[in-house]
Amino acid sequence: MASSKYAPGARLYIRDEEWRVKRVELTDRHKELLVVTGVSPLVRGQERLFLTELETIEIVDPRKTTFVADSSPSFRSSRLYMESLFRQTPPTDERIYFGDRAAIDPLPFQMDPARQALKAPRQRILIADSVGLGKTIECGILLSELIARGRGKRILVLAVKSMLAQFQKELWARFTIPLVRLDSVGIQRVRNKIPANHNPFYYYDKAIISIDTLKQGTEYRNYLENARWDIIVIDEAHNVAQRGTSSQRSKLAQLLSTQSDTLIMLSATPHDGSRRSFASLMSMLDATAIANPDNYGPKDIGGLFIRRFKKDIESRSRKAFPERKIKEYGAAASPEEEAAFDRLAALTFARIDQKKKSGTVLFKTTLEKALFSSPAACRETIDNRIKSLRKEEPLPQVTADIEQLSALDALLGKITPERFGKYQMLVQMLKPKTGKLRWKPSDPSDRVVIFTERIKTMNFLAENLKKDLGLNDDQVRTLHGTMGDTEMMNLVEEFGGDKSKVRLLICSDVASEGINLHYRCHRLIHFDIPWSLMIFQQRNGRIDRYGQEKSPEIYYLKTESKNEKIKGDTRILELLIKKYDQVVKSIGDPAIFTHRYDSDSEEVQTAEAIQSGLTPEQFERRQAALALEEDPLDWFNQSFAPEKDSSSPEEPPRAFPTLFSSDYRFAAAALRETRESDEPIQYEPDDEHQSVSITPNEPMRARLKFFPPDILNEDTGRLYLCALPEKIQEEFKRCR
C-alpha cells in the first residue's frame, strides 16, 4: 500500500459528500478499499467503505484552502475552530489525559489499570481489584481514554441483571458515556424499527445488556457473529469462566472476545481455584498467552491483569477508606435455648445421612447452622426434613428420626422472642439513643444494614424489630433474592436517598455482591456469623468501600452456650472473624487462609471442622498445613500492580493545549456561535456553577434518539451539563 495516494487523515469528496480516511486496505483483486468516516453534515460520524475503482474521488487539497476573514468578536470563530481541532487530537502515549476529569475523586491507584492497558497495542485486561476499590470507576477511566483516542465509538457492556441500572448510571453521570440499557424487550423494540435483514446490534453504538439475555442459544448468535465493537466490557467476569463443559455464558463470552479489539473484564473473585477455569478467561484476553492450561504462571499472562487489595492502596488513598471498627457481642443463651442446644448436641439419626454423598454436610451440622441463625430458621429446616421423611417407607428408623426431630422442634417452639438472647441483645443495641449504637432513626444519615443467611430469620427480624423498636413498615425493609431486579434496585436507591424513610435494611446474602449500600449507612450487623470468609468480604464490602465518608462499623453477634460441644463450635466461628480481619490487613485475599475459592466450598470446609469436633487450635493448624501444600493459583492471591520507579514521583495526568480558560467557557462560546446559525440552540448558562441547560433543537433530537432517554430531564425535556466535578458530586448527594 506504499504507492497509494490516499492516506489516513486525508479528506475526500465522494458522491458529493466529504469524508475522512480512517485506513486503506487491499482487496482480493489487489484494488484499494477505503474505510472512511463522514465529515459533511448529512453523513457526519457515519462509517462507509468505498472501492476506488468504482468511485469518482476528489482529494481535498489543503493548498487550495481559501482564507476568509474572521469578523466574529475577538476572533471567536477562529478560536472555536482551532480549539475543536485541539480537542479532537488523539493522545499517542499511555498517559492519562481525560479520566481524571470525570465526576470522581481522582485517586492515583485508580489510574493504574488505564496506564497499564494503554501501554499494550490492544487494550485487553482483567481488572481484578478487591471488593470496594472502585472497579467500575477504573473501567470508566480507561473507556474515557480510549474514546479520546478514537477507539471507543462502539461499546458493548455485559452485566448481571441486578447491576444494569447501577453500571449505566455510573458511566453516564461520572464519565458522560451514554449506554442504552437493553433487555430482550428492548432488542425486540429495535428490531421493529429496522428492516428484517438488518442487525439490531448496529442500531445503538453504546449499549449495556444482561449476559443472561444474550446467552439464549441461536436467537442472537447470528447477529453477534456479524457485529463488531470497538470495546466490550464484561462485568462479574468470573461468571463466564469455563468450568467442565462450557456453559452458555462461557460460549457467549468466547464468541464476543473475537468481536472486539478491546476487551475489559471486571471481577473481584476471578477464579475458583481451577487452573483451566482461569486459563479460559486469560485465553479470551489473549489466545496465545497460555500454551498449557494446566501449567502457567504470572509471567505467561503479564500485562493482562491487575490485582490490588485494600492494604495495597491505603497509603495512596487514606481519606477514601476510613479505618473500619469491628466489635463482637455475645449473648448468654436462655434456659430455653440451652435445652435446645443440649438436645441438638445429643441427636443421633438412624435413617438421616445414610445416603449422604461424600463431601456433603451432615444434617445435624445443617441443623446447628440454622439454629445459630435463629430458632425460626431451625424449625423451618426441621419441618422440611420431616415432610421429606414422611414420604419414605414407614421404617422404624424413619419413625425414630421423626420423633427426635419433633422433640427438638417442641423445644425450639418455647424460644419466644423474649427468650431469644441474641435477638434481645440486638434490640438493646438498636434502642434509639440509649442503646450501644446510640442509633438515631431521626437522622437520615444514620441507617443500619443487618445481614442474615436465612430468609426465615430475615422475616422474623423484620416483624419483631418493628414492634419492639416502635418502627413502621416504611422504616424497616427487607432485601432478598425472590425480589424482581427492578424492585431490588429501586429499594437500594431508596435506601441511599436522603429523603427516604428507610432506616433498617435487613438483607439476605443475595445483597452481598455488587450493591452499593454505603451512601447513608456506615453500620453493618452480622446477625449470624458466616461460615465462609468470602461471605464476610462480600457483606462488609457493601459499606466498607470507595466513597464511604465515615468509619465503617462492623458488628458480629453470637450466642454463648454452656454446652461444651456448642461452645467449641462457636469458637471456630470466632476464629473465622479473627482470621478474616488479619487476612484483610496483612494479605488481602481470604483464600490464603481457607484455600477455597468459592463460598460453598468454604462453608463445607467449616462444616467438616465442626462435625469432626476439631478445636479452634486444631482447625487453625490444619489450615496452616494446607497453606504449605502446593496451590495451583497461589501466586494470583498476591497483589499485582504496575511497576513504578520509587525514585520518581507518580506522574500526574496531562492536558492538551487550550485557547479557553475552562471547558465551560469553551461550551458557552460554542453555544453562542449557534445563535447566528440557521438552526440556533436554546440554552441557559449558569456562570456561577459552570453549568448549562439546553433545549435540543431538531438536529440534536435526531441524534439523541440513539442515546438513552434518561439523559433528558423527564419534566422539562432539557439536557443539563456541568463542567465542575465537585458540583456534580454534590448533585449526586442531593439527588440521593
Side-chain angles (χ1 to χ4, degrees):
M1 302 303 297
S3 60
S4 175
K5 61 181 179 179
Y6 308 106
R11 294 200 176 195
L12 312 173
Y13 278 114
I14 307 175
R15 302 186 186 182
D16 298 325
E17 298 295 338
E18 187 176 354
W19 310 83
R20 181 188 293 111
V21 178
K22 289 185 65 177
R23 63 181 183 272
V24 184
E25 298 178 356
L26 197 63
T27 68
D28 294 340
R29 299 174 56 191
H30 299 285
K31 301 295 182 180
E32 289 179 320
L33 175 71
L34 302 180
V35 182
V36 298
T37 302
V39 175
S40 52
L42 185 63
V43 295
R44 182 176 294 130
Q46 299 180 27
E47 188 171 297
R48 292 290 185 269
L49 308 178
F50 292 117
L51 289 168
T52 57
E53 61 179 317
L54 300 179
E55 303 292 342
T56 301
I57 301 174
E58 178 186 349
I59 299 176
V60 178
D61 189 346
R63 292 173 298 182
K64 297 180 181 179
T65 300
T66 301
F67 290 93
V68 179
D70 183 1
S71 58
S72 61
S74 302
F75 303 105
R76 184 180 67 204
S77 297
S78 297
R79 289 190 298 116
L80 283 170
Y81 175 70
M82 288 188 287
E83 180 74 12
S84 68
L85 294 180
F86 285 150
R87 290 171 179 260
Q88 292 179 59
T89 304
T92 57
D93 56 30
E94 68 272 13
R95 294 184 178 92
I96 302 298
Y97 287 84
F98 301 96
D100 64 305
R101 293 159 60 184
I104 60 175
D105 300 318
L107 301 174
F109 81 91
Q110 292 180 333
M111 308 295 165
D112 291 343
R115 287 194 180 99
Q116 175 174 312
L118 292 172
K119 290 178 181 178
R122 295 198 306 166
Q123 287 63 55
R124 300 177 77 85
I125 187 172
L126 166 66
I127 302 177
D129 286 345
S130 184
V131 174
L133 297 194
K135 290 183 290 297
T136 305
I137 288 177
E138 292 171 347
C139 175
I141 292 170
L142 177 53
L143 290 177
S144 298
E145 295 299 325
L146 291 171
I147 291 171
R149 287 160 171 79
R151 292 185 244 164
K153 184 175 185 293
R154 282 181 46 78
I155 300 174
L156 177 68
V157 176
L158 272 67
V160 294
K161 286 183 179 180
S162 61
M163 292 295 293
L164 290 180
Q166 182 172 304
F167 204 106
Q168 180 200 31
K169 290 178 181 179
E170 287 283 305
L171 287 192
W172 168 250
R174 296 189 184 279
F175 299 94
T176 326
I177 299 175
L179 300 175
V180 179
R181 190 165 76 245
L182 294 179
D183 52 22
S184 54
V185 175
I187 296 176
Q188 186 58 47
R189 192 179 298 119
V190 172
R191 292 168 70 175
N192 292 337
K193 293 181 180 179
I194 61 178
N197 62 339
H198 283 211
N199 192 327
F201 293 113
Y202 276 111
Y203 190 80
Y204 293 112
D205 278 337
K206 297 176 177 66
I208 180 169
I209 306 175
S210 164
I211 193 168
D212 291 319
T213 298
L214 287 187
K215 74 180 185 183
Q216 298 171 10
T218 59
E219 183 174 0
Y220 300 119
R221 185 174 183 88
N222 181 58
Y223 293 126
L224 293 173
E225 288 177 342
N226 291 283
R228 282 196 62 84
W229 289 268
D230 297 318
I231 303 171
I232 291 178
V233 179
I234 302 178
D235 191 27
E236 303 295 345
H238 53 272
N239 292 321
V240 303
Q242 184 175 342
R243 297 182 174 91
T245 56
S246 294
S247 66
Q248 287 181 312
R249 287 178 173 182
S250 177
K251 290 178 180 177
L252 171 64
Q254 289 171 8
L255 168 62
L256 289 174
S257 69
T258 65
Q259 303 300 100
S260 170
D261 283 339
T262 298
L263 178 61
I264 304 171
M265 292 182 168
L266 312 175
S267 176
T269 54
H271 72 84
D272 60 357
S274 165
R275 281 184 181 273
R276 283 186 166 271
S277 175
F278 186 62
S280 69
L281 288 182
M282 294 295 99
S283 295
M284 294 179 199
L285 296 172
D286 184 351
T288 65
I290 297 176
N292 182 357
D294 294 314
N295 184 20
Y296 58 92
K299 291 184 179 180
D300 297 302
I301 56 175
L304 292 179
F305 71 97
I306 184 171
R307 182 164 173 80
R308 282 88 51 85
F309 300 97
K310 186 178 176 181
K311 68 178 182 63
D312 302 314
I313 51 81
E314 283 182 325
S315 62
R316 302 167 70 191
S317 57
R318 190 164 298 278
K319 290 184 180 179
F321 294 95
E323 184 176 356
R324 68 170 68 176
K325 301 175 182 177
I326 295 178
K327 294 183 180 180
E328 299 178 42
Y329 289 120
S334 66
E336 291 80 2
E337 289 179 278
E338 290 289 13
F341 281 130
D342 290 342
R343 170 69 70 170
L344 175 63
L347 282 179
T348 55
F349 294 116
R351 176 70 175 177
I352 297 174
D353 292 330
Q354 268 190 358
K355 299 179 180 179
K356 187 183 85 71
K357 297 180 181 178
S358 176
T360 57
V361 178
L362 291 173
F363 183 64
K364 182 176 176 179
T365 308
T366 301
L367 283 175
E368 185 175 358
K369 186 180 182 187
L371 184 51
F372 281 164
S373 181
S374 71
C378 193
R379 295 192 74 184
E380 180 186 46
T381 303
I382 290 173
D383 184 57
N384 291 337
R385 180 50 62 100
I386 288 177
K387 289 178 181 178
S388 176
L389 287 172
R390 284 175 175 161
K391 293 178 182 179
E392 296 187 18
E393 191 176 344
L395 299 172
Q397 300 97 317
V398 174
T399 303
D401 286 354
I402 291 176
E403 289 175 353
Q404 289 209 68
L405 291 174
S406 298
L408 176 59
D409 184 65
L411 292 173
L412 292 170
K414 297 178 181 179
I415 307 174
T416 61
E418 293 75 21
R419 308 305 294 167
F420 184 9
K422 187 171 65 170
Y423 170 72
Q424 288 301 318
M425 181 176 61
L426 175 65
V427 172
Q428 293 305 314
M429 289 173 61
L430 292 173
K431 284 284 186 182
K433 298 183 181 180
T434 62
K436 293 180 180 178
L437 267 62
R438 293 290 190 266
W439 182 45
K440 299 177 182 177
S442 59
D443 184 354
S445 64
D446 195 0
R447 302 179 186 183
V448 180
V449 173
I450 302 175
F451 267 105
T452 179
E453 181 187 72
R454 301 295 295 266
I455 298 295
K456 201 71 174 178
T457 304
M458 179 192 73
N459 292 333
F460 166 84
L461 293 175
E463 178 184 349
N464 287 278
L465 286 175
K466 282 186 284 189
K467 178 179 61 177
D468 293 334
L469 295 175
L471 303 175
N472 58 42
D473 291 344
D474 291 333
Q475 292 175 299
V476 181
R477 302 286 293 277
T478 58
L479 187 65
H480 49 90
T482 58
M483 299 172 68
D485 298 324
T486 302
E487 183 185 7
M488 185 183 300
M489 292 309 302
N490 288 342
L491 177 55
V492 171
E493 290 188 11
E494 183 182 353
F495 184 68
D498 191 49
K499 297 181 180 179
S500 170
K501 297 179 181 179
V502 183
R503 293 297 181 266
L504 280 182
L505 185 64
I506 308 172
C507 308
S508 70
D509 282 329
V510 70
S512 65
E513 183 174 356
I515 294 176
N516 293 330
L517 299 177
H518 65 291
Y519 294 122
R520 288 289 181 273
C521 176
H522 67 285
R523 290 171 168 166
L524 186 148
I525 299 173
H526 296 265
F527 189 73
D528 44 31
I529 299 173
W531 289 26
S532 159
L533 295 193
M534 289 187 70
I535 298 297
F536 277 85
Q537 186 179 43
Q538 291 290 352
R539 285 184 181 183
N540 293 341
R542 296 315 98 218
I543 67 165
D544 186 10
R545 60 193 298 106
Y546 170 76
Q548 175 62 267
E549 297 177 350
K550 299 181 179 180
S551 293
E553 297 177 12
I554 312 293
Y555 300 91
Y556 297 99
L557 308 189
K558 58 191 177 183
T559 301
E560 296 178 339
S561 171
K562 296 177 183 178
N563 184 286
E564 290 301 321
K565 170 71 169 78
I566 302 302
K567 187 188 299 184
D569 296 345
T570 303
R571 288 180 61 207
I572 286 183
L573 300 184
E574 293 171 356
L575 176 65
L576 291 180
I577 297 174
K578 173 185 172 184
K579 285 298 176 183
Y580 173 72
D581 191 42
Q582 289 177 351
V583 164
V584 168
K585 290 179 178 178
S586 61
I587 303 172
D589 192 339
I592 292 292
F593 177 71
T594 64
H595 277 243
R596 297 292 186 271
Y597 301 92
D598 64 84
S599 58
D600 291 339
S601 297
E602 288 186 330
E603 288 181 353
V604 169
Q605 186 183 67
T606 303
E608 288 174 344
I610 286 176
Q611 62 197 23
S612 300
L614 296 182
T615 65
E617 294 75 20
Q618 290 171 328
F619 182 48
E620 188 170 13
R621 284 197 296 269
R622 190 182 75 172
Q623 297 307 120
L626 285 175
L628 298 176
E629 298 177 2
E630 182 182 1
D631 188 329
L633 286 171
D634 185 60
W635 51 267
F636 193 79
N637 299 328
Q638 311 301 322
S639 304
F640 286 90
E643 294 184 2
K644 294 181 175 63
D645 182 358
S646 59
S647 63
S648 60
E650 201 158 44
E651 183 178 16
R654 302 188 68 182
F656 278 102
T658 178
L659 300 176
F660 290 83
S661 59
S662 68
D663 290 340
Y664 171 73
R665 293 300 172 194
F666 169 60
L671 287 168
R672 280 197 299 271
E673 188 81 358
T674 67
R675 287 176 173 170
E676 301 172 11
S677 67
D678 295 333
E679 296 172 326
I681 297 175
Q682 295 182 7
Y683 68 97
E684 294 180 9
D686 182 346
D687 292 346
E688 180 182 356
H689 298 103
Q690 294 195 22
S691 62
V692 61
S693 63
I694 299 172
T695 301
N697 58 13
E698 285 306 314
M700 281 188 70
R701 288 191 177 278
R703 301 187 71 178
L704 289 175
K705 71 178 182 179
F706 298 105
F707 283 63
D710 319 62
I711 69 174
L712 295 178
N713 184 284
E714 59 182 8
D715 296 324
T716 64
R718 310 192 84 185
L719 180 65
Y720 292 86
L721 302 174
C722 179
L724 296 178
E726 60 272 18
K727 292 295 181 184
I728 299 175
Q729 298 274 49
E730 291 176 7
E731 184 68 7
F732 286 157
K733 295 179 180 180
R734 188 194 69 79
C735 290
R736 283 195 293 266

